[in-house]
Amino acid sequence: MGLLDVLNSIQGGGVSNDPRAQTAQAGQGMSPMAKALLALLAVYAARNLRRADAPPTQPAQPSRPAGGGTSAGPSTGAGGVPGGDLGDLLRGTLGGLLGGAAAGTVLNGGLGGLLKQLQESGQGEVAKSWVGTGPNKQISQGALADALGGNTLNELSRQTGMDHGDLLSGLSQYLPRFVDQLTPDGRVPTEDEAERMV
């Protein structure tokens, strides 16, 4: 199953009882919750890339803009996927802070970074259930807020226009299934596998 299929399941049948997640569904393309899930991956991918590639005192080098777009927010596509391609969204609007990284790198690094953060914040068993083949354990909004931290929630709010309460409500509901569907083999996909998912 590809990333677009996963996001479509969240936008389609997965949001039937949550009006906050449906608000952008009709006519605006991607729902705020689907954007939040992608933004969450982008945030952790950016942290992962900074740790791996650059000293912490050195800012990311904007030597090659991805598509010439701005990194301040979504393009005039009104919530749709810029350029009509999910890879463009991961590299562009949400992935702009990643310096043009490949979509597979964003997905792989973001998912790995998110799972590591959950583990380090005491939610390792919960995260492990999402990746494994058994039932997904639920996570409370409070535990998720503690695990993600205020800076991450602020970034997600900025990217999606959702307030913290709506973000936490949606993420606690959809994140277990999102991670589960992105890890069908019971592990984080490699960069090559992740690239094929996009």
Side-chain angles (χ1 to χ4, degrees), residues 93-152:
T93 304
L94 298 177
L97 33 125
L98 304 176
T105 302
V106 175
L107 181 56
N108 167 274
L111 189 55
L114 171 63
L115 293 171
K116 182 178 179 185
Q117 177 64 33
L118 288 166
Q119 182 177 22
E120 289 174 355
S121 66
Q123 298 299 320
E125 287 301 314
V126 171
K128 192 177 192 178
S129 78
W130 301 348
V131 174
T133 56
N136 295 327
K137 292 183 179 179
Q138 295 302 309
I139 189 167
S140 72
Q141 292 181 36
L144 187 57
D146 290 344
L148 298 180
N151 289 340
T152 299

Side-chain angles (χ1 to χ4, degrees), residues 112-194:
L114 171 63
L115 293 171
K116 182 178 179 185
Q117 177 64 33
L118 288 166
Q119 182 177 22
E120 289 174 355
S121 66
Q123 298 299 320
E125 287 301 314
V126 171
K128 192 177 192 178
S129 78
W130 301 348
V131 174
T133 56
N136 295 327
K137 292 183 179 179
Q138 295 302 309
I139 189 167
S140 72
Q141 292 181 36
L144 187 57
D146 290 344
L148 298 180
N151 289 340
T152 299
L153 290 173
N154 289 339
E155 178 63 22
L156 295 179
S157 272
R158 189 182 70 74
Q159 292 284 351
T160 64
M162 297 174 74
D163 67 35
H164 286 203
D166 289 345
L167 273 169
L168 288 168
S169 173
L171 287 174
S172 65
Q173 182 178 359
Y174 298 113
L175 190 57
R177 183 167 49 121
F178 183 64
V179 171
D180 184 55
Q181 290 179 344
L182 293 178
T183 57
D185 297 323
R187 60 174 171 74
V188 174
T190 66
E191 285 186 28
D192 288 339
E193 291 168 336

Side-chain angles (χ1 to χ4, degrees), residues 17-112:
N17 60 357
D18 188 349
R20 293 177 301 243
Q22 292 177 347
T23 56
Q25 200 170 314
Q28 282 197 13
M30 191 171 291
S31 74
M33 186 47 51
K35 286 181 187 178
L37 291 165
L38 285 178
L40 187 61
L41 293 181
V43 165
Y44 282 100
R47 290 179 187 168
N48 192 36
L49 287 175
R50 269 183 277 190
R51 277 192 291 252
D53 294 339
T57 57
Q58 202 173 9
Q61 298 174 353
S63 59
R64 197 179 60 144
T70 65
S71 61
S75 67
T76 56
V81 178
D85 180 274
L86 187 58
D88 288 343
L89 179 64
L90 285 172
R91 286 183 298 269
T93 304
L94 298 177
L97 33 125
L98 304 176
T105 302
V106 175
L107 181 56
N108 167 274
L111 189 55

